[in-house]
Amino acid sequence: MDPIKCIEEYDNKIKRVLITEKEIQDAIKKAGKEISDSYDGRPILLVSILKGAFVFMADLCRAITVPCEIGFMCAKSYFSGTVSTGVVKITLDLDQDISKYHVIIVEDIIDTGRTLNDVVDMLKTRNPISLRVVTLLDKPSRRLVDFKADISLFTIPDHFVIGYGLDCGEKYRNLPYIAEYGE
């Protein structure tokens, strides 16, 4: 494909910016302070849900001013489209004992709630000292299970969104803002 045509097609899928880079960074600083104030001197393990939360995790980790460790899991319910399949599959699990940590799951977006509900249930069986969820985006209008994050940076309407780690077909993760994706 012609590189110029490819770039035009890429840009044409960005309907509109919903949350700017500055708004994201300001909200992350606030969440980082809240976490730092809550856990000062206690062992924190931040668990990023891959792939979408990796950008958020990196910035949130740097906004936390107290020692913390990180871990990664991969839980999927979107495989190549724009609609959740309803089937949650753990494709990468933690490789550490979480029983001596205050675990904070770092998620990019809570949509139906099924993925996080399953991950939280699984991690609770591993007896962390405490377990909380922080999400960049919350889409409560799509919720199919009773699930609420402990910290939610932004509540958004029912749009398929891209950017800041969120993708469509593995593209758009590198956008520094959150945008509505348009077919």
Side-chain angles (χ1 to χ4, degrees), residues 1-15 162 171-172 175 177 181-183:
M1 179 181 256
D2 175 21
I4 293 173
K5 186 175 181 181
C6 185
I7 290 169
E8 288 172 358
E9 184 179 306
Y10 186 84
D11 289 343
N12 288 337
K13 299 294 184 184
I14 300 170
K15 227 175 175 178
I162 52 174
K171 295 183 176 104
Y172 305 100
L175 298 175
Y177 50 80
Y181 178 81
E183 288 288 337

Side-chain angles (χ1 to χ4, degrees), residues 78-82 85 168-169:
Y78 287 80
F79 293 92
S80 63
T82 60
T85 64
C168 182

Side-chain angles (χ1 to χ4, degrees), residues 60-84:
L60 180 63
C61 180
R62 288 188 297 254
I64 295 171
T65 59
V66 297
C68 60
E69 295 181 35
I70 61 170
F72 296 93
M73 293 182 73
C74 189
K76 291 184 174 187
S77 65
Y78 287 80
F79 293 92
S80 63
T82 60
V83 178
S84 173

Side-chain angles (χ1 to χ4, degrees), residues 91-110:
T91 59
L92 174 69
D93 202 349
L94 291 171
D95 61 358
Q96 63 228 86
D97 176 8
I98 66 171
S99 66
K100 294 177 178 42
Y101 293 94
H102 293 277
V103 174
I104 302 172
I105 299 171
V106 180
E107 179 63 298
D108 56 351
I109 186 167
I110 302 174

Side-chain angles (χ1 to χ4, degrees), residues 90-178:
I90 305 296
T91 59
L92 174 69
D93 202 349
L94 291 171
D95 61 358
Q96 63 228 86
D97 176 8
I98 66 171
S99 66
K100 294 177 178 42
Y101 293 94
H102 293 277
V103 174
I104 302 172
I105 299 171
V106 180
E107 179 63 298
D108 56 351
I109 186 167
I110 302 174
D111 190 335
T112 65
R114 285 187 264 207
T115 301
L116 257 293
N117 194 55
D118 286 1
V119 169
V120 165
D121 286 349
M122 181 177 67
L123 292 182
K124 281 181 179 177
T125 67
R126 299 177 188 178
N127 302 313
I129 298 169
S130 69
L131 181 62
R132 293 179 73 194
V133 173
V134 59
T135 188
L136 176 65
L137 304 173
D138 189 15
K139 199 187 297 185
S141 64
R142 300 261 306 148
R143 200 75 82 241
L144 296 177
V145 297
D146 184 22
F147 190 89
K148 188 173 180 339
D150 298 286
I151 300 173
S152 179
L153 277 62
F154 300 97
T155 300
I156 62 168
D158 187 12
H159 300 300
F160 190 83
V161 292
I162 52 174
Y164 200 72
L166 289 98
D167 75 305
C168 182
E170 293 299 324
K171 295 183 176 104
Y172 305 100
R173 291 187 194 279
N174 60 318
L175 298 175
Y177 50 80
I178 302 294

